[in-house]
Amino acid sequence: MNLKSEDLFRKALRLMPGGVNSPVRAFRAVGGEPLFVASGKGARITDVEGRSYLDYVLSWGPLILGHCHPQVMEALARVLETGTSFGASTPAEVELAEQIQAAFPSIERVRLVNSGTEATMAALRVARAATGREKILKFEGCYHGHADSLLVKAGSGVATLGLPDSPGVPRALAELTITVPFNDSAALEEAFRVHDHQLAAVIVEPVAGNMGCVAPRAGFLARLRTLAAEQGTVLIFDEVLTGFRVAYGGAQQLYGIQPDLTTLGKIMGGGLPVGAYGGKAALMDLVAPAGPVYQAGTLSGNPLAVAAGLKTLELLRAPGFYERLDALAESLVAGLRAEADRASVALTINRVGSMFTPFFTAEAVTDYASAKKADTAAFGRFFRALRERGIYFPPSQFEAAFISSAHSEDDIAETIRAAGAAFTALACR
Ligand code: HOZ
């Protein structure tokens, strides 16, 4: 007999740390049994008990076309007939590199890796090698994967679990990571003044997604660009979430700012494990074997991820794709706002393109400090109330929700109705 979620989780707890392979999945911040998914199709997933949910997690962003898009599945099926990994170059990798370069004019050369964490780790190494400097600057509540240098005041699961900076990160390394609040140009100027010509890199999620969704203030990214250029600091846009999401060419296209290096992942692999880092040729030509900065990977450029990525990007280039997705996201956000107002629930919703977060606070959320003021217990109740009604939101106040092209107007209407009932239940407590 198939095990139920409860039994699976009990078994998983004996076998895996916290019963999961990635912390936020354990639902510790929202309560209730973690979801065990049996399958996904379009905008929906089905759990092992056969319950169906409209999915706004979408594998944390990659599935912009929804689950099991037929053309992506077909592309994968073709690859399965010819081999899953060679540890040698394939024609499709070259094609994907070409597509990435066409989408991101700031990327003159690109290296494919297997995850966003790998991409940010390697980008930092390149920046340090290029500048001969060791310090880096990141923003509070931004998350760039779990490499040692970047687990300082990190968002995502670190914020969800309310952890202080992670044990196991050598203090000497953490001391090289300077942090300032996101969207705070004055603090940024001060950091550049104090660490004058000592910063190898500034890394930023140009639209923060890992403290919940937070847009950059007007002029913030431009100021960052100028300060980095003035001091020869490498500007890294971490577009693992935003690349091919907020626009085909990512946040750098949306806001018209060109970084020196970009990290990508998620959507560009069509739901398979992938990452990439790229940028100016002068920087990327430092990477081995063109240059001395070492970085390698047996499964890098893996045929399955490359095929799923290529087909996904092709479908994203359809005329009007992003306009429709953004309109759908806006109608959902407007509906959620109206329902929260009707139930007198204090709610602030941030949205950029098809990524968004409802924060349970009346105040504007512009950085990590304001995100942390949100009522996370209320978010947990909202999450559970939605789940009971067949809607699956990210199980954390500090993760962005996403919409896919598989979501229909009816799905959005169903979600708004469910949220309305959830807000009313919240308000009646
Ligand atoms: N912290 C990840 C999203 N930002 C969660 C990944 C996962 O649990 O799969």
Side-chain angles (χ1 to χ4, degrees):
M1 199 185 87
N2 289 341
L3 291 179
K4 291 190 152 104
S5 296
E6 205 185 320
D7 309 316
L8 282 165
F9 191 50
R10 210 172 305 123
K11 187 170 178 185
L13 280 168
R14 290 196 302 273
L15 296 166
M16 293 140 78
V20 287
N21 281 317
S22 191
V24 186
R25 297 177 198 183
F27 284 22
R28 290 210 177 164
V30 289
E33 291 290 327
L35 203 62
F36 279 80
V37 181
S39 65
K41 183 85 193 141
R44 291 187 173 271
I45 52 174
T46 304
D47 70 12
V48 291
E49 277 90 16
R51 287 181 295 244
S52 163
Y53 303 88
L54 273 171
D55 183 15
Y56 291 93
V57 178
L58 296 168
S59 191
W60 305 96
L63 299 175
I64 192 165
L65 302 172
H67 296 269
C68 288
H69 189 285
Q71 290 183 58
V72 177
M73 293 301 110
E74 212 178 283
L76 283 171
R78 275 199 301 276
V79 175
L80 285 173
E81 284 170 15
T82 52
T84 57
S85 184
F86 308 107
S89 298
T90 62
E93 291 167 65
V94 184
E95 202 185 327
L96 185 58
E98 200 173 19
Q99 292 301 343
I100 290 172
Q101 196 193 62
F104 291 81
S106 69
I107 299 183
E108 293 169 351
R109 306 250 201 286
V110 64
R111 167 65 60 85
L112 300 185
V113 292
N114 297 290
S115 68
T117 292
E118 269 188 63
T120 54
M121 194 169 67
L124 282 188
R125 188 174 301 145
V126 170
R128 283 175 160 147
T131 56
R133 305 173 187 170
E134 294 193 334
K135 290 183 188 172
I136 60 154
L137 187 145
K138 75 176 280 292
F139 295 92
E140 293 169 11
C142 281
Y143 178 72
H144 307 285
H146 57 86
D148 282 350
S149 288
L150 293 163
L151 272 187
V152 180
K153 296 198 180 157
S156 190
V158 187
T160 303
L161 299 176
L163 297 175
D165 301 335
S166 178
V169 173
R171 184 178 307 156
L173 204 54
E175 279 169 3
L176 295 174
T177 303
I178 316 301
T179 58
V180 298
F182 186 70
N183 266 334
D184 187 339
S185 294
L188 186 63
E189 309 240 1
E190 178 62 8
F192 268 94
R193 196 189 59 75
V194 171
H195 304 281
D196 187 30
H197 287 84
Q198 294 171 53
L199 295 171
V202 182
I203 184 164
V204 66
E205 293 180 88
V207 174
N210 286 291
M211 53 179 110
C213 176
V214 180
R217 276 202 179 107
F220 175 67
L221 296 176
R223 193 69 201 120
L224 189 51
R225 175 64 284 179
T226 305
L227 287 166
E230 279 171 6
Q231 295 205 5
T233 297
V234 176
L235 177 59
I236 306 171
F237 272 12
D238 180 350
E239 298 232 40
V240 168
L241 283 180
T242 52
F244 302 104
R245 165 64 66 180
V246 295
Y248 188 70
Q252 52 197 271
Q253 176 188 319
L254 192 65
Y255 297 105
I257 308 286
Q258 303 288 288
D260 302 308
L261 291 176
T262 299
T263 57
L264 294 167
K266 308 232 184 224
I267 288 177
M268 57 155 286
L272 278 89
V274 89
Y277 64 104
K280 290 189 171 149
L283 291 170
M284 291 304 291
D285 285 347
L286 292 172
V287 178
V293 177
Y294 200 72
Q295 180 275 310
T298 298
L299 291 166
S300 297
N302 177 268
L304 285 165
V306 168
L310 271 173
K311 182 51 76 179
T312 299
L313 300 196
E314 181 191 321
L315 296 168
L316 296 183
R317 291 194 295 273
F321 181 92
Y322 286 92
E323 287 77 2
R324 180 186 169 267
L325 205 57
D326 288 9
L328 216 53
E330 180 47 34
S331 71
L332 174 58
V333 164
L336 294 180
R337 278 198 190 107
E339 290 298 329
D341 284 352
R342 202 182 43 75
S344 301
V345 169
L347 195 74
T348 292
I349 311 187
N350 287 353
R351 176 184 80 84
V352 178
S354 55
M355 58 191 278
F356 67 99
T357 302
F359 291 96
F360 283 78
T361 170
E363 287 174 39
V365 177
T366 57
D367 57 14
Y368 190 35
S370 47
K372 279 199 293 189
K373 285 189 190 151
D375 182 347
T376 51
F379 180 88
R381 291 194 295 277
F382 177 68
F383 170 87
R384 294 193 300 277
L386 283 185
R387 183 181 179 182
E388 276 167 26
R389 291 165 176 83
I391 311 287
Y392 179 49
F393 257 45
S396 163
Q397 176 68 94
F398 305 113
E399 298 280 0
F402 301 95
I403 293 186
S404 77
S405 58
H407 285 78
S408 66
E409 280 162 21
D410 285 350
D411 293 335
I412 299 299
E414 181 181 334
T415 307
I416 294 169
R417 273 196 306 278
F423 289 137
T424 305
L426 241 70
C428 291
R429 280 183 85 246

